[in-house]
Coordinates of all heavy atoms in Angstrom, one line a residue:
T22 N 98.2 106.0 83.4 CA 98.1 105.5 82.0 C 99.0 106.3 81.2 O 99.4 106.0 80.1 CB 96.7 105.4 81.5 OG1 96.2 106.8 81.4 CG2 95.8 104.6 82.5
K23 N 99.4 107.5 81.7 CA 100.2 108.5 80.8 C 101.5 109.0 81.4 O 102.4 109.4 80.6 CB 99.3 109.7 80.5 CG 98.1 109.4 79.7 CD 97.3 110.7 79.4 CE 95.9 110.4 78.7 NZ 95.1 111.7 78.5
E24 N 101.6 108.7 82.8 CA 102.8 109.2 83.4 C 103.3 108.1 84.5 O 102.4 107.8 85.3 CB 102.5 110.6 84.0 CG 103.7 111.3 84.6 CD 103.4 112.7 85.2 OE1 102.2 113.1 85.1 OE2 104.3 113.4 85.5
D25 N 104.6 108.0 84.7 CA 105.1 107.1 85.6 C 105.5 108.0 86.8 O 106.6 108.7 86.7 CB 106.3 106.3 85.1 CG 106.8 105.3 86.0 OD1 106.5 105.4 87.4 OD2 107.7 104.5 85.7
F26 N 105.0 107.9 87.9 CA 105.2 108.8 89.0 C 106.6 108.5 89.6 O 107.2 109.4 90.4 CB 104.0 108.7 90.2 CG 104.0 107.5 90.9 CD1 104.8 107.3 92.1 CD2 103.3 106.5 90.5 CE1 104.8 106.1 92.8 CE2 103.1 105.3 91.3 CZ 103.9 105.1 92.4
T27 N 107.1 107.4 89.4 CA 108.4 107.0 90.0 C 109.6 107.5 89.2 O 110.8 107.4 89.7 CB 108.4 105.4 90.2 OG1 108.7 104.8 88.9 CG2 107.3 104.8 90.9
R28 N 109.2 108.2 88.0 CA 110.4 108.6 87.2 C 110.2 110.2 86.8 O 110.8 110.6 85.9 CB 110.4 107.7 85.9 CG 110.7 106.2 86.1 CD 111.0 105.5 84.9 NE 111.4 104.2 85.1 CZ 112.6 103.8 85.5 NH1 113.5 104.6 85.6 NH2 112.7 102.4 85.8
T29 N 109.4 110.9 87.7 CA 109.4 112.2 87.4 C 110.3 113.1 88.0 O 110.5 114.2 87.7 CB 108.0 112.8 87.9 OG1 107.8 112.5 89.3 CG2 106.8 112.1 87.1
G30 N 111.1 112.4 88.9 CA 112.1 113.2 89.7 C 111.5 113.8 91.0 O 112.1 114.2 92.0
Q31 N 110.1 113.8 91.2 CA 109.5 114.3 92.4 C 109.6 113.3 93.5 O 109.5 112.0 93.3 CB 108.0 114.6 92.1 CG 107.2 115.0 93.3 CD 107.7 116.4 93.8 OE1 107.7 117.4 93.2 NE2 108.2 116.4 95.0
Q32 N 109.9 113.7 94.7 CA 109.9 112.8 95.8 C 109.1 113.1 96.9 O 108.7 114.3 97.1 CB 111.4 112.7 96.3 CG 112.5 112.1 95.5 CD 113.9 111.9 96.0 OE1 114.4 112.8 96.7 NE2 114.5 110.9 95.7
Y33 N 108.7 112.1 97.7 CA 107.5 112.3 98.6 C 107.9 111.8 99.9 O 108.7 111.0 100.2 CB 106.3 111.6 98.1 CG 105.8 111.9 96.8 CD1 106.2 111.3 95.7 CD2 105.0 112.9 96.7 CE1 105.8 111.6 94.4 CE2 104.5 113.3 95.4 CZ 105.0 112.7 94.2 OH 104.5 113.1 93.0
D34 N 107.5 112.5 101.0 CA 107.7 112.2 102.5 C 106.9 111.0 102.8 O 107.5 110.3 103.7 CB 107.3 113.4 103.3 CG 107.9 114.7 103.0 OD1 109.3 114.7 102.9 OD2 107.4 115.6 102.7
L35 N 105.8 110.7 102.3 CA 105.1 109.6 102.5 C 104.3 109.0 101.2 O 103.8 109.9 100.6 CB 104.0 109.8 103.6 CG 102.9 108.7 103.9 CD1 103.5 107.5 104.4 CD2 101.8 109.2 104.8
I36 N 104.5 107.7 101.1 CA 103.8 107.0 99.9 C 102.9 106.0 100.6 O 103.4 105.1 101.3 CB 104.8 106.5 98.9 CG1 105.4 107.5 98.2 CG2 103.9 105.6 97.9 CD1 106.5 107.0 97.2
L37 N 101.6 106.1 100.3 CA 100.6 104.9 100.7 C 100.3 104.2 99.5 O 99.7 104.8 98.5 CB 99.5 105.6 101.4 CG 99.7 106.1 102.7 CD1 98.4 106.8 103.3 CD2 100.1 105.1 103.8
A38 N 100.6 102.9 99.4 CA 100.3 102.1 98.3 C 98.9 101.4 98.6 O 98.9 100.4 99.2 CB 101.3 101.1 97.9
A39 N 97.8 101.9 98.1 CA 96.5 101.3 98.3 C 96.1 100.4 97.2 O 95.1 99.7 97.4 CB 95.4 102.5 98.6
N40 N 96.9 100.4 96.2 CA 96.6 99.5 95.0 C 97.9 99.6 94.1 O 98.8 100.3 94.4 CB 95.4 100.1 94.2 CG 94.7 98.9 93.5 OD1 95.3 97.9 93.2 ND2 93.4 99.1 93.1
G41 N 97.9 98.7 93.0 CA 98.9 98.9 92.1 C 99.8 97.6 92.1 O 99.6 96.7 93.0
N42 N 100.8 97.5 91.2 CA 101.6 96.5 91.3 C 103.1 97.0 90.8 O 103.7 96.6 89.8 CB 101.2 95.5 90.2 CG 102.1 94.2 90.2 OD1 102.7 93.9 91.2 ND2 102.1 93.4 89.0
R43 N 103.7 97.8 91.6 CA 104.9 98.5 91.4 C 105.9 97.8 92.4 O 105.6 97.2 93.5 CB 104.9 99.9 91.8 CG 103.9 100.8 91.0 CD 104.1 100.6 89.6 NE 105.4 101.1 89.0 CZ 105.5 102.1 88.5 NH1 104.6 103.1 88.2 NH2 106.7 102.6 88.0
S44 N 107.2 97.7 91.9 CA 108.3 97.1 92.8 C 108.7 98.0 93.8 O 108.4 99.3 93.8 CB 109.5 96.8 91.8 OG 110.1 98.0 91.5
I45 N 109.3 97.4 94.8 CA 109.6 98.2 96.0 C 110.8 99.2 95.7 O 110.8 100.3 96.3 CB 109.9 97.4 97.2 CG1 110.0 98.1 98.5 CG2 111.4 96.8 97.0 CD1 110.1 97.3 99.8
S46 N 111.5 98.8 94.5 CA 112.6 99.8 94.2 C 112.0 100.9 93.5 O 112.5 102.0 93.5 CB 113.5 99.0 93.3 OG 112.9 98.4 92.2
D47 N 110.8 100.7 92.7 CA 110.2 102.0 92.2 C 109.8 102.9 93.3 O 109.9 104.1 93.1 CB 108.9 101.4 91.4 CG 109.2 100.7 90.0 OD1 110.4 100.9 89.6 OD2 108.4 100.1 89.5
Y48 N 109.0 102.3 94.2 CA 108.5 103.2 95.4 C 109.8 103.9 96.1 O 109.7 105.1 96.4 CB 107.8 102.4 96.3 CG 106.4 102.1 95.9 CD1 106.0 100.7 95.7 CD2 105.5 103.0 95.6 CE1 104.8 100.5 95.2 CE2 104.1 102.7 95.2 CZ 103.8 101.4 95.0 OH 102.6 101.1 94.5
R49 N 110.8 103.1 96.2 CA 112.1 103.7 96.9 C 112.5 104.9 96.1 O 113.0 105.9 96.8 CB 113.1 102.6 97.1 CG 114.2 103.0 98.0 CD 115.3 101.8 98.1 NE 116.2 102.2 99.1 CZ 117.3 101.4 99.5 NH1 117.4 100.2 98.8 NH2 118.1 101.7 100.4
R50 N 112.5 104.8 94.8 CA 113.1 105.9 94.1 C 112.2 107.2 94.1 O 112.8 108.3 94.0 CB 113.1 105.4 92.5 CG 113.7 106.5 91.6 CD 113.9 105.8 90.3 NE 112.7 105.2 89.7 CZ 112.5 103.9 89.4 NH1 113.5 103.1 89.6 NH2 111.4 103.5 88.9
A51 N 110.9 107.0 94.4 CA 110.0 108.1 94.5 C 109.9 108.7 96.0 O 109.3 109.7 96.2 CB 108.6 107.8 94.2
L52 N 110.7 108.0 96.9 CA 110.7 108.6 98.3 C 111.8 109.5 98.6 O 112.8 109.4 98.0 CB 111.0 107.3 99.3 CG 109.9 106.5 99.8 CD1 110.3 105.6 100.9 CD2 108.7 107.4 100.5
S53 N 111.5 110.5 99.5 CA 112.5 111.4 99.9 C 113.5 110.6 100.8 O 113.3 109.6 101.1 CB 112.0 112.5 100.8 OG 111.3 112.1 101.9
P54 N 114.7 111.1 101.1 CA 115.9 110.4 101.7 C 115.4 109.9 103.1 O 115.9 108.8 103.5 CB 116.9 111.6 101.9 CG 116.8 112.4 100.6 CD 115.2 112.5 100.5
K55 N 114.4 110.6 103.8 CA 113.9 110.1 105.1 C 112.4 109.8 104.9 O 111.7 109.8 105.8 CB 114.3 111.2 106.1 CG 115.6 111.3 106.4 CD 115.8 112.2 107.6 CE 117.3 112.4 107.9 NZ 117.6 113.3 109.1
G56 N 112.0 109.4 103.7 CA 110.6 109.2 103.5 C 110.1 107.8 104.0 O 110.9 107.0 104.3
I57 N 108.8 107.6 104.1 CA 108.2 106.5 104.6 C 107.3 105.9 103.5 O 106.4 106.6 103.0 CB 107.4 106.8 105.8 CG1 108.4 107.2 107.0 CG2 106.7 105.5 106.3 CD1 107.5 107.7 108.1
Y58 N 107.4 104.6 103.2 CA 106.4 103.9 102.3 C 105.6 102.8 103.1 O 106.2 102.1 103.9 CB 107.3 103.2 101.2 CG 106.6 102.1 100.5 CD1 105.6 102.4 99.5 CD2 106.8 100.8 100.7 CE1 104.9 101.4 98.9 CE2 106.2 99.8 100.0 CZ 105.2 100.1 99.2 OH 104.6 99.0 98.5
V59 N 104.4 102.8 103.0 CA 103.5 101.9 103.6 C 102.6 101.2 102.5 O 101.9 101.8 101.8 CB 102.6 102.5 104.6 CG1 101.7 101.5 105.3 CG2 103.5 103.3 105.6
Q60 N 102.7 100.0 102.6 CA 101.9 99.1 101.6 C 100.6 98.6 102.4 O 100.7 98.0 103.4 CB 102.6 97.9 101.1 CG 102.0 97.1 100.0 CD 101.1 96.0 100.6 OE1 101.3 95.5 101.6 NE2 100.1 95.8 99.8
I61 N 99.5 99.2 101.8 CA 98.2 98.8 102.4 C 97.3 98.1 101.5 O 96.0 98.0 101.8 CB 97.5 100.0 103.1 CG1 97.4 101.2 102.1 CG2 98.3 100.4 104.4 CD1 96.6 102.3 102.6

């Protein structure tokens, strides 16, 4: 409610989306170059 994790500049090796309504481009921005995103 206060911070957008996709725009902090921090990148992650793995993102698990257990909830939410973000676009895949948002998640891609927060992934490291060889990161993995899984929508569950």
Side-chain angles (χ1 to χ4, degrees):
T22 69
K23 298 178 180 179
E24 186 176 6
D25 183 348
F26 71 88
T27 74
R28 296 190 178 279
T29 63
Q31 177 65 59
Q32 293 186 321
Y33 302 90
D34 302 301
L35 169 62
I36 295 176
L37 290 175
N40 207 339
N42 186 24
R43 304 303 300 256
S44 70
I45 199 166
S46 59
D47 286 343
Y48 285 116
R49 191 177 186 183
R50 186 167 55 245
L52 269 184
S53 63
K55 294 186 178 181
I57 299 172
Y58 161 74
V59 182
Q60 191 271 330
I61 55 176

